[in-house]
Amino acid sequence: MPRQAQIKSFRKRWFPQILKRTLIVLLIMGLLLVGFATYTVRQSFAQESGTIQLPKLKAEVTIQRDKWGIPHIYAANSHDLFMAQGYIHAQDRFWQMDFWRHIGSGRLSEMFGSSQVDTDRYLRTMGWARVVQQEIQEMNAEMKAYLEAYADGVNAYLAEHQGSTLSLEYAVLKFLNPGYKPEPWQVVHSLTWGKVMAYDLGRNFDSEIERAILLKTLTPAQVEELFPPYPKELPVILPEFQEGEGAGGAGEARGENNVEVLFNSPDVFPALESITKPMMALEKLIGPTGIGIGSNNWVISGKRTATGKPILANDPHLGVQIPSIWYEVGLHCTSKSAECPYNVTGFSFAGMIGVIIGHSDRIAWGVTNVQSDVMDLYIEKINPKNSNQYEVNGKWVDMQLVKETIQVAGSQPIVQTVRYTRHGPILSDVSPNLKEFKPSQPIELPQNYAVALRWTALAPSKLAYAIPQINRAQNWQEFRIAASNYDVPAQNLVYADIDGNIGYQMPGKFPIRAKGDGRYPVPGWTDEYEWQSYIDFEQLPKSFNPSLGYIATANNLVKREYPYLITTDWVYGYRAQRIVEMISQKTEAISLKDVQQMQGDDRNLNAQTLVPLLKSITVDTHRLQAAQKLLLDWNLQLRMTSPAAALFEVFWKHLLVDTFHDQLPEKYFPDGGDRWYAVVANLVKQPNSSWWDNRNTPKIENRDQILRQSFTKAVDELERIQSKDPQNWNWGKLHTVTFKNATLGKSGVAPIEALFNRGAFATAGNGETVNANRWRANESFEVTDIPSLRMIVDLGDLDNSIAIHTPGQSGHAFHTHYNDMVDPWRKIEYHPMLWERKNVTASTTGTLKLVPK
């Protein structure tokens, strides 16, 4: 047989067998890989049933988990209660805890290498860990014992779990940083969490920088137009209280900051701009921060409710992330006593003891951010002959110098010297682009220049005390005593109790300044702008059982008249307006279902201002007229499937571009949030304002021309990306949320991101609706921050209380509870906040016993 024929015959006989065997081998390998991957993924899942022995535990602890994965902890003493909380936090969320403690201490480079050095330098300059060490030294024995018990619980879990048995992220990190091993948990790690949250909720100095930089190209009057005072027609938190003098609380009076003195020199601007670079790097890790991020809470007296008892609602708005920022938990002493006074359920932070938002057997409480002005930037004169000296009242004074060593995975350590003035750390040192001032006429400015930050969170805080004190408070008086320690970050606390009382308290440390209102950086070389003291707690706004029968807060102005300055940058009260409308206009008794509908409300009060103008403009084509008809009967609700909602929000984006982009630096293009609602609401009353004119065209545009132009662009865009038929436009398809892991979920490596991220999911609303799913007009329609939880507490029957957070309880990718709350959350659905033990037991899916070893 010819050789070619032999080869052909061989192939015919053996090729199918070889192919079959190859497929079998590949199948086996595939199954082995799937099995290995499944094992790797599942081995970190929390043990939810059985018995586990723990060293240092004093007595048996029972942990019952419900179908949402929420643990209800029952312990005989406080030590074991908080130790068990530490253990279950570590079970479900240790990667999150590990990551956040590295942020708090400025040690991200130890985990992620040289890419995080600049962020660590910024965080070490802030010096949160140094402040916390002072707090620990001053801490009383009870508080220290609680935190040590929590750390014992975390470390008991770490003793039995390492690497991928802790979390899937560690299996991935092993390829990036093979030598990394988590260290034991310490008290300092729990307390630095509070500093990160204070930064997350209170970074107002970026507004100082923005206003200062805008003065490069705008007049002071124009800058103030972009930061308008709080509108008189929008609600305040305490309308019944008008005592005091001045309007400092309202943000209507502007202090004297000698803006012209500080900003005569063009060299100040690169220095200020340089500070924002590490701020933005940190924001990518922890989500959007500072001004603009808000929350809602309200409490309604039994006089207005169907139950005859108060109803309390809360939904804090925070950056989108996975795992959830919140961890829902019940903490129950099996027999309440002076030693173990806790019987509480609600939302905790993994890494910290207690319940931050929730209710006990006696009281309920909720929080929103005050967004107080507690950060000031000081311009320091530096000695040209000694860079470690600065001027104070005509004399050179030595700075405090602190050496910091930054350990970097895969590289050599970096030694950093942090310089402190009397005001705080010099932030401008974290940028290599710092430029010196040059003398400027007519005012002589410093030859050498630095920017220091004074911030209430850079001094020892009592926040840690406030959480367990609130958790065990039995009445309004004890609640206020606890609130007096809730100093940083300042919050609007609403309160209700089973006796029918409702209340409001603003706690916090608020500086009283000798001069100025904190809106711009100020000279630091004299005492002219120093902080003199803090507002006394008893002088801070409060209310108990107001005659209105409700209290509502949405980061808005507290009082029209108040003798002290809280901030001039309140969140403008559009969400507050809608909440007040829905409560006050209700003619029948308010039910829990009504409050649920309030939390899901999507009415856009910006559209209330602009839609009448859009209806009145003349459009001359059929397609524009068809689009305009969508607005005629629109109820102004930004529902997911609404064509009109899609049209209006896309129009809003184009309106901001067409009105402001020609006059503002790209970095400060409008994000479309509440401040821009107020800016545009003022401008539409001035049809020929210079803001309407596009400086890049020869003609002078007016309001109606810009409205028509932006409307046309919106129609063009929606026809291009969705449909030629306006009836098919859909807001939810544009306005989606993707939950991204703060670390590996933003790695830029698609397969890794796919392991940890979930989405995109359609959402309703926008940042200023009560259902506040914020998108940013200077970025995209993607949602950046959300109602991170929703809670409604029925003080008439605590077992009727309901809640939801997102995306889920577990921090483990592919766990049942990793993202199972997303759908109910976006549909404004809830789960029961199980309370009585018989109801917990009836819904228990797993019971874990922790016993002494």
Side-chain angles (χ1 to χ4, degrees), residues 104-377:
S105 296
R107 296 171 55 190
L108 290 166
S109 300
E110 293 177 18
M111 293 183 79
F112 304 110
S114 57
S115 66
Q116 296 303 315
V117 167
D118 285 347
T119 305
D120 278 349
R121 282 168 51 82
Y122 179 66
L123 292 168
R124 296 292 183 96
T125 300
M126 285 288 188
W128 295 331
R130 293 192 294 275
V131 178
V132 164
Q133 291 294 353
Q134 295 178 55
E135 293 176 5
I136 294 171
Q137 291 172 10
E138 299 169 5
M139 188 172 286
N140 67 33
E142 179 189 67
M143 191 68 223
K144 189 175 288 186
Y146 285 169
L147 291 169
E148 287 173 345
Y150 181 90
D152 287 342
V154 177
N155 291 329
Y157 189 75
L158 289 181
E160 303 296 329
H161 299 81
Q162 286 295 324
S164 58
T165 64
L166 270 176
S167 198
L168 178 60
E169 286 92 338
Y170 291 102
V172 177
L173 186 65
K174 191 169 184 64
F175 291 102
L176 307 174
N177 181 5
Y180 180 74
K181 182 181 178 181
E183 65 182 297
W185 193 265
Q186 301 174 45
V187 170
V188 65
H189 300 143
S190 291
L191 297 181
T192 53
W193 164 87
K195 303 302 180 187
V196 179
M197 286 309 298
Y199 181 90
D200 195 21
L201 296 173
R203 199 192 74 207
N204 67 277
F205 69 83
D206 50 350
S207 291
E208 289 186 39
I209 293 172
E210 180 179 352
R211 279 188 285 262
I213 290 172
L214 289 176
L215 288 170
K216 285 170 68 175
T217 54
L218 302 177
T219 67
Q222 287 175 310
V223 172
E224 292 303 311
E225 280 190 289
L226 300 182
F227 292 85
Y230 191 86
K232 289 183 169 57
E233 68 274 12
L234 294 179
V236 298
I237 295 172
L238 302 181
E240 297 180 335
F241 294 83
Q242 302 295 341
E243 78 276 8
E245 298 177 358
E252 293 167 358
R254 306 303 196 202
E256 295 179 10
N257 268 331
N258 287 347
V259 174
E260 299 82 1
V261 173
L262 280 178
F263 303 111
N264 259 355
S265 169
D267 290 324
V268 69
F269 301 111
L272 290 177
E273 287 173 324
S274 71
I275 295 174
T276 65
K277 293 177 182 177
M279 291 189 328
M280 294 303 104
L282 183 56
E283 185 164 301
K284 288 179 181 178
L285 292 173
I286 64 176
T289 61
I291 297 299
I293 292 190
S295 305
N296 306 317
N297 65 18
W298 62 91
V299 61
I300 306 171
S301 163
K303 293 186 294 184
R304 287 179 171 265
T305 69
T307 64
K309 289 287 188 177
I311 296 174
L312 184 145
N314 194 190
D315 55 289
H317 309 158
L318 293 168
V320 175
Q321 55 195 285
I322 194 168
S324 170
I325 187 68
W326 300 104
Y327 187 93
E328 195 168 354
V329 66
L331 300 173
H332 307 284
C333 295
T334 49
S335 178
K336 280 182 69 176
S337 64
E339 191 284 327
C340 196
Y342 301 103
N343 189 18
V344 62
T345 192
F347 295 88
S348 67
F349 284 113
M352 185 58 182
I353 66 166
V355 167
I356 311 297
I357 294 170
H359 73 79
S360 68
D361 52 344
R362 294 282 311 169
I363 74 168
W365 69 97
V367 307
T368 68
N369 191 19
V370 173
Q371 303 202 265
S372 49
D373 189 343
V374 294
M375 293 177 164
D376 282 353
L377 294 173

Side-chain angles (χ1 to χ4, degrees), residues 411-426:
S411 186
Q412 293 298 310
I414 293 171
V415 178
Q416 173 189 8
T417 299
V418 179
R419 300 189 297 168
Y420 277 84
T421 73
R422 59 180 178 157
H423 299 119
I426 294 182

Side-chain angles (χ1 to χ4, degrees), residues 586-597:
K586 195 78 175 171
T587 55
E588 298 175 355
I590 296 172
S591 67
L592 260 71
K593 192 70 176 176
D594 293 327
V595 177
Q596 187 172 336
Q597 289 171 350

Side-chain angles (χ1 to χ4, degrees), residues 168 172 322 738-741 744-759 813-814 818:
L168 178 60
V172 177
I322 194 168
T738 299
F739 295 92
K740 295 179 181 178
N741 183 291
L744 301 178
K746 300 175 183 178
S747 65
V749 181
I752 293 177
E753 291 184 356
L755 288 174
F756 300 108
N757 298 347
R758 298 294 181 270
F814 304 103
Y818 188 58

